[in-house]
Amino acid sequence: MLQTRPDAAPAAAPSLVSLAGRWYFPVAFIARLPFAMMVVGVLTLVVAARDSVALGGVNSASVGIGAAVFGPLVGAAADRFGQRAVLVPVGLVNAALLGAFPFVVSGSAPDLAVLATAFCIGASAPQVAPMSRTRLVAIIRQRMRPERHEKTLSGTMAYESAADETVFIIGPFLVGILASAIAPWVAVAGASVLTFVFVTAFALHPTGRLVLGREQQTTQAPARQLLRPRLVVVVVGILGVGLFFGSTLTALTAFMEVHGQASQAGLLYGLMGIGSAGLALGSAAFPQAFGLGWRWLVFGVVLLGGAIAFSQADSVVAAGIVLAVMGVGIGPTLVAQYSLGSDRSPVGRSATTMTILGSAVIVGQSIASAVTGDLAEQHGATTAMAVPAVAAAVVVLAAVANLLLPRRTAA
């Protein structure tokens, strides 16, 4: 038997990547892509097949409403029964609905049937991103030494927010590429295939069994604690980010159409993702004195300033520069919001909390896409380009309320 030398260096503590498994992060990243493709994919397909921007906007919003109503219930079920037991059937149902949607839209089904199918797609959307956060937080808290918790949690939330931001850039970009290069139905069909393969793989990953472990031994906090003001204000703030995503992409599409380059909207939109993902990852290096609440406010103000400048852009080059600046604000804002949501999650309801936050993004994106599209059609691109500033104002006002709430509670 081998003997360890007394002077041998202690083994290095395992990293989060080694604890989760080398395939976990690629699978979890790809598995969240369909969620980011749904809203824009449904909008694009309905507009192309039914020749109605208004109907497309309503269906897009219907996806968001379905996610808002049932997303938190999916998270609550995962907290109670385990992620694997919930994600497998939900993912299969969602894949089937996405696969059937092109046939429903292109057939003779009435508009109400199309609307109902879109709602069911949102209702059955697999909540991969919030469940990934829940798994990683559980791994950190259960399998790492306490002195490593804070730094690893900060880096993990930075990565997860950067991943979310990246897929919400890549998702619409993929939809645009597939729709223009092949056909609008291909994007929705592709989302169906990705859901079937990668959401199932994510659900069956060994980490899916870990999350319940110790949380089942703890009595769940009452559901009413999800309505605590300090958590609600985070939900409102992240809803503002979703509004920003949807309004920016739709307004940019209208703007590029005016300039005769509508097919390039997705590429220009991607400029926002470069700075956003980079700053989101880099936010783990911020000093601890620069608290989460202040980060949210500071970078929210950057986002608001960029959005105001975006409303005044009069050339494609100017719009691209402003989009890059707005990306600097969006990434750290998302990291701060998700980190605060994790900190304030009631006991035993982490998946529910993260699902509510994830649903708020897609709800905001859906509503803003529909409203901004209608404004662009009725009043022109200039009016539509003012909507992102309104969304950014929601983010900033929620940040101010977040800083004031602890003082009111203390008083």
Side-chain angles (χ1 to χ4, degrees):
M1 191 165 111
L2 293 175
Q3 297 288 328
T4 304
R5 287 170 43 190
D7 58 342
S15 66
L16 182 60
V17 174
S18 63
L19 290 173
R22 67 175 64 181
W23 289 107
Y24 176 80
F25 288 95
V27 168
F29 181 84
I30 299 173
R32 67 183 82 192
L33 262 176
F35 193 75
M37 296 170 67
M38 286 176 189
V39 173
V40 180
V42 166
L43 172 65
T44 304
L45 179 57
V46 173
V47 171
R50 299 274 167 140
D51 194 26
S52 171
V53 176
L55 182 62
V58 171
N59 275 274
S60 175
S62 184
V63 173
I65 294 170
V69 173
F70 286 92
L73 298 180
V74 171
D79 277 331
R80 185 172 181 83
F81 303 110
Q83 290 191 11
R84 181 172 292 185
V86 174
L87 269 179
V88 171
V90 167
L92 293 176
V93 168
N94 188 251
L97 287 169
L98 284 168
F101 192 69
F103 297 99
V104 176
V105 176
S106 59
S108 58
D111 291 345
L112 187 61
V114 177
L115 194 66
T117 307
F119 177 84
C120 292
I121 287 173
S124 62
Q127 307 290 328
V128 173
M131 294 203 188
S132 175
R133 284 181 172 84
T134 303
R135 292 187 191 190
L136 296 176
V137 169
I139 291 173
I140 292 166
R141 289 177 176 168
Q142 295 177 22
R143 296 186 174 180
M144 285 188 168
R145 294 195 299 267
E147 61 270 19
R148 296 181 61 199
H149 285 185
E150 183 176 346
K151 184 177 181 180
T152 309
L153 277 171
S154 177
T156 300
M157 287 300 162
Y159 163 76
E160 286 288 310
S161 296
D164 277 349
E165 171 67 11
T166 303
V167 297
F168 272 101
I169 297 293
I170 293 176
F173 177 76
L174 277 178
V175 171
I177 291 293
L178 293 172
S180 59
I182 308 176
W185 64 267
V186 175
V188 178
S192 173
V193 173
L194 287 174
T195 299
F196 181 78
V197 176
F198 287 95
V199 171
T200 303
F202 175 79
L204 297 178
H205 192 274
T207 55
R209 292 193 299 249
L210 170 71
V211 180
L212 281 176
R214 298 186 181 180
E215 287 198 324
Q216 276 191 332
Q217 300 171 13
T218 307
T219 304
Q220 275 191 337
R224 65 176 180 273
Q225 289 197 17
L226 293 168
L227 299 176
R228 290 180 301 180
R230 297 188 71 224
L231 184 56
V232 171
V233 75
V234 178
V235 176
V236 173
I238 210 162
L239 173 68
V241 173
L243 292 170
F244 177 81
F245 282 147
S247 59
T248 301
L249 178 58
T250 308
L252 179 62
T253 303
F255 173 80
M256 295 297 283
E257 189 174 16
V258 170
H259 287 75
Q261 302 180 48
S263 61
Q264 304 297 314
L267 295 174
L268 203 63
Y269 186 67
L271 292 175
M272 189 170 68
I274 297 173
S276 179
L279 264 291
L281 290 170
S283 64
F286 288 151
Q288 190 173 357
F290 188 19
L292 293 172
W294 286 105
R295 294 181 202 176
W296 176 1
L297 178 60
V298 168
F299 287 101
V301 170
V302 172
L303 182 66
L304 178 58
I308 293 172
F310 178 71
S311 69
Q312 305 299 315
D314 57 0
S315 69
V316 174
V317 173
I321 293 172
V322 171
L323 284 166
V325 172
M326 290 195 294
V328 172
I330 197 70
T333 299
L334 271 175
V335 172
Q337 290 170 333
Y338 274 117
S339 298
L340 288 169
S342 175
D343 290 344
R344 298 171 185 180
S345 172
V347 174
R349 295 190 178 274
S350 56
T352 309
T353 302
M354 291 300 178
T355 304
I356 290 172
L357 295 178
S359 297
V361 174
I362 198 169
V363 169
Q365 184 189 34
S366 304
I367 294 173
S369 296
V371 172
T372 309
D374 186 62
L375 285 173
E377 188 172 319
Q378 300 294 328
H379 304 285
T382 302
T383 302
M385 289 176 70
V387 181
V390 177
V394 172
V395 176
V396 172
L397 289 173
V400 173
N402 174 70
L403 289 172
L404 293 177
L405 273 174
R407 298 178 186 177
R408 282 190 66 182
T409 303

